[in-house]
Amino acid sequence: MKTIDYYFWMNSDWAYLGADRLEALASRQQAAIRYLPVDLPDVYARTGGVLLGQRSPERQAYRVAELARWCAKLGIHVNPQPAHMCPDASLASRIVIAADRAGMPVLALYKAILKAEWVDDQDISDPVVLRGVMENLGLAAASLLAAADAPDIEATYRRNTDEAVQAGVFGSPSYVYRGEVFWGQDRLEMLEEA
């Protein structure tokens, strides 16, 4: 079966914009998606990336302009400067990993967490916020929060990050298919061609 390794950061506005299109692509191509949340600041530190707040004003302004273009094109709202922008995404990432391991609906969960940050101005590093997101989806929030603190889930999160770097990933979202990296939701059409 065709498999897409999907490396993404739980603070990635671009992952939010590409989420539904990735799912539609996988459905059309009868491909499985491996959901692999990563620690993007760690990826950046190892691949020469620069966190948004440390980028030049010109690069930050271009990001806002590009987000506006893509939001208009896709009909999706994203606040380019939410109240809690890019907080620690470790717990959110581990919750997604735990949910995936338990066979729960990963798409709905990671999209809801991203929406909480980029649309609803919530702090996704706050366990109370994450509990509310899970409860709104009808998921067992208490058990997922407990599972997210297990050492093996943390080890998986670290392994995802290591494997991303080994695969040549340097940003989020990145899709790896048959060893080829496609970086950014604007590369989904090229991913589908591959």
Side-chain angles (χ1 to χ4, degrees), residues 8-89:
F8 61 102
W9 189 32
M10 286 305 305
N11 279 315
S12 176
D13 40 4
W14 301 107
Y16 181 67
L17 291 178
D20 290 332
R21 289 166 29 246
L22 173 62
E23 295 294 322
L25 179 161
S27 178
R28 285 191 301 273
Q29 296 297 325
Q30 298 179 342
I33 299 171
R34 290 181 62 225
Y35 298 93
L36 303 163
V38 299
D39 179 348
L40 195 66
D42 187 17
V43 170
Y44 277 3
R46 293 155 67 180
T47 62
V50 178
L51 291 170
L52 182 61
Q54 298 167 358
R55 294 180 195 161
S56 70
E58 296 83 4
R59 287 179 180 265
Q60 291 189 41
Y62 187 80
R63 172 191 161 269
V64 171
E66 190 74 346
L67 268 177
R69 290 182 192 125
W70 275 101
C71 287
K73 179 179 177 69
L74 299 173
I76 299 172
H77 170 72
V78 167
N79 177 355
Q81 296 173 315
H84 305 279
M85 189 159 160
C86 299
D88 182 351

Side-chain angles (χ1 to χ4, degrees), residues 157-180:
Y157 182 43
R158 292 292 132 215
R159 189 169 51 253
N160 289 353
T161 302
D162 291 342
E163 289 175 1
V165 173
Q166 291 165 4
V169 167
F170 55 88
S172 172
S174 287
Y175 319 98
V176 179
Y177 179 66
R178 294 183 176 169
E180 188 174 356

